[in-house]
Structure formats: structure tokens, C-alpha cells
């Protein structure tokens, strides 16, 4: 029977500075070498592109300073844009929550999940000390600098938020450790969770 190949949709979350964007670019390299068409959407960047047009925001890291209502509208718009992508692998790089003045706001509220309908979730994690150092060293971004204890709390909030996402979607969560200097190892863990580890895209 002939049928159209469906996209494998994966949402990758992790706290700022854990290494999502770095590891995901490695995942893309691996998938492209296997001739798998892949797209990566950095959720915050898709939101930022819209915010630039409609809200006059100049810096990606100012998004989290908008009101929750404004962030909510931008989120739905970004989700619809991403949902229309039809590559074999559709990767979304995002945060399970955003620290706002009102408190921890979900990066993946129910309405966004309903639009994205992911097959699986990946949580990228690392030792809190490593995350702290990565934030300090990376001068390309305006990340909030917080204590190691606050980073531990952020990791806890991420897993709590992600458990709910998993239950709502009926999609599994894989935790991937991004050890210092082991970007490729972390990337391979993701490729395997996506079911692309056997050199074909028919293994899932
Ligand atoms: P954000 O959520 O803020 O976008 P992120 O999770 O995408 O953050 P990255 O920008 O990928 O994080 O990485 C943060 C910094 O950590 C970068 O300077 C990157 O080079 C470094 N880094 C990431 N992973 C590793 C690793 N395994 N070993 C060493 N350095 C790493
Ligand atoms: Mg990033």
C-alpha cells in the first residue's frame, strides 16, 4: 500500500545554556549525512521574528519581558508556522518554561501542544555547574545569571512541566545528558530517540 511518509516531530527542551542549539546543530549534521530532510525551528526565534514585526522588540532575550498575554499570542502563531513544516524530521528547540515577572510560564501550554502534536520529547540536561559556566562564558547571549541552586530548581521545573506535556500528548520523554566536551554523544542520543539510528528513516 502506498502512503505518504509522515514527519517525525520532536520537541527538544532544556534550560538556557544547557546546550540545546549546539547539540541540535550536530543532530542536523548527522541526519543530513543520512539524507534525511530536517528542519529546526528555534521556537523563541520564530516568536521573535513575529514580535519584531508587531511589537517593535529588538532583542530575542527581551521576549520573556513581554506580558504573559503577549507571549501567549506569539506562541500560538509560532506553533502554527512550525506545524506546517513537512520535512522528514521536524525539530523544535524550545524551553519547557520561561521565567517571567508573573512566575514560571509554560513554553508548551496545552494549546501549543495541540498544534505541534509532537511524537516525542527530549530533555537536554547537564550538571548544574557546567550549565552555570556555559552561561558565564557565552557572551553572544543575554542570559540571566543565577546561582547553582537556582539552576537546580530550573532543572526540576523543566522535568515537572515536561511530564505534563508527555501525559497530555501520550508521547515519551528521553533525557539526554550533554556532558562537557561530548556534544556528539548527546546528538547521537537524540538521533537514536528519533528512530533514525539505523541509516534509514524507516526504523520507527
Ligand atoms: P538557550 O536556551 O539560551 O538558547 P541553549 O540550550 O541553546 O541555550 P547553547 O547556546 O547551545 O545553549 O549553549 C550554551 C553555551 O554552552 C555555548 O557557548 C555552547 O558552545 C556551550 N556548550 C554547549 N554544549 C556544550 C558541551 N557539551 N561542552 C562544552 N560546551 C558546550
Ligand atoms: Mg539556544
Amino acid at each position: 500500500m502506498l502512503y505518504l511518509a509522515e514527519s517525525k516531530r520532536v520537541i527538544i527542551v532544556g534550560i538556557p545554556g544547557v546546550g540545546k542549539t549546539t547539540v541540535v546543530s550536530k543532530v542536523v549534521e548527522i541526519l543530513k549525512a543520512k539524507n534525511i530532510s530536517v528542519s529546526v525551528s528555534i521556537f523563541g526565534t520564530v516568536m521573535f521574528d513575529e514580535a519584531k514585526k508587531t511589537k517593535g522588540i529588538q532583542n530575542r532575550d527581551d521576549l520573556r519581558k513581554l506580558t504573559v498575554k503577549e507571549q501567549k499570542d506569539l506562541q500560538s502563531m509560532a506553533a502554527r508556522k512550525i506545524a506546517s513544516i513537512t520535512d522528514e524530521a521536524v525539530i523544535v528547540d524550545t524551553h519547557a518554561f520561561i521565567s517571567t515577572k508573573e512566575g514560571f510560564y509554560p513554553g508548551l501550554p496545552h494549546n501549543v501542544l495541540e498544534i505541534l502534536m509532537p511524537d516525542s520529547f527530549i530533555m537536554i540536561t547537564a550538571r548544574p555547574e557546567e550549565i552555570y559556566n556555559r552561561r558565564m562564558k557565552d557572551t553572544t547571549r543575554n542570559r540571566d545569571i543565577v546561582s547553582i541552586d537556582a539552576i537546580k530548581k530550573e532543572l526540576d521545573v523543566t522535568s515537572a512541566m515536561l511530564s505534563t506535556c508527555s501525559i497530555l500528548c501520550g508521547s515519551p520523554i528521553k533525557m539526554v545528558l550533554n556532558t562537557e566536551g561530548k556534544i556528539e554523544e548527546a546528538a547521537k542520543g537524540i538521533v537514536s530517540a528519533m528512530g533514525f539510528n539505523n541509516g534509514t528513516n524507516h526504523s520507527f
Side-chain angles (χ1 to χ4, degrees):
M1 190 176 85
L2 269 175
Y3 57 91
L4 287 173
E6 281 187 10
S7 304
K8 184 81 181 175
R9 297 174 180 274
V10 59
I11 297 186
I12 301 189
V13 306
I15 67 172
V18 75
K20 296 177 296 297
T21 306
T22 309
V23 173
V24 164
S25 7
K26 196 70 187 171
V27 169
V28 168
E29 236 177 73
I30 299 174
L31 293 181
K32 284 197 169 154
K34 292 176 188 284
N35 286 323
I36 292 162
S37 69
V38 52
S39 78
V40 176
S41 303
I42 300 179
F43 204 93
T45 304
V46 182
M47 283 175 67
F48 176 48
D49 287 344
E50 186 64 14
K52 268 194 289 196
K53 284 186 257 161
T54 59
K55 313 226 177 266
I57 293 270
Q58 304 297 332
N59 186 318
R60 185 183 183 284
D61 289 298
D62 285 342
L63 273 179
R64 64 179 179 277
K65 294 168 191 158
L66 293 172
T67 64
V68 161
K69 167 80 177 86
E70 285 174 308
Q71 295 190 47
K72 217 172 189 149
D73 293 344
L74 288 168
Q75 269 181 324
S76 306
M77 182 282 311
R80 281 193 296 273
K81 217 164 189 176
I82 296 166
S84 67
I85 303 173
T86 54
D87 286 299
E88 286 166 272
V90 177
I91 299 175
V92 183
D93 166 342
T94 191
H95 300 106
F97 71 89
I98 296 98
S99 293
T100 70
K101 274 185 290 182
E102 289 97 328
F104 298 127
Y105 174 70
L108 298 163
H110 192 206
N111 63 307
V112 167
L113 287 172
E114 275 181 325
I115 300 171
L116 291 178
M117 291 191 300
D119 296 294
S120 61
F121 296 96
I122 309 274
M123 175 174 161
I124 301 195
T125 185
R127 286 179 47 232
E129 294 76 12
E130 288 177 353
I131 299 171
Y132 180 85
N133 290 334
R134 288 173 196 166
R135 285 186 190 178
M136 295 298 278
K137 275 193 241 162
D138 186 1
T139 51
T140 65
R141 298 286 305 277
N142 301 322
R143 293 190 179 87
D144 297 333
I145 299 299
V146 297
S147 67
I148 304 256
D149 276 347
I151 288 177
K152 286 182 185 156
K153 178 74 192 160
E154 288 180 12
L155 290 169
D156 285 349
V157 177
T158 297
S159 22
M161 291 268 186
L162 205 56
S163 305
T164 306
C165 295
S166 170
I167 289 168
L168 285 173
C169 298
S171 307
I173 301 173
K174 182 167 177 180
M175 305 279 183
V176 170
L177 188 66
N178 179 25
T179 308
E180 199 64 13
K182 300 268 172 73
I183 295 163
E184 180 142 8
E185 205 169 284
K188 283 181 178 162
I190 294 176
V191 170
S192 143
M194 292 179 81
F196 289 123
N197 50 333
N198 294 332
T200 77
N201 60 350
H202 305 299
S203 52
F204 52 88

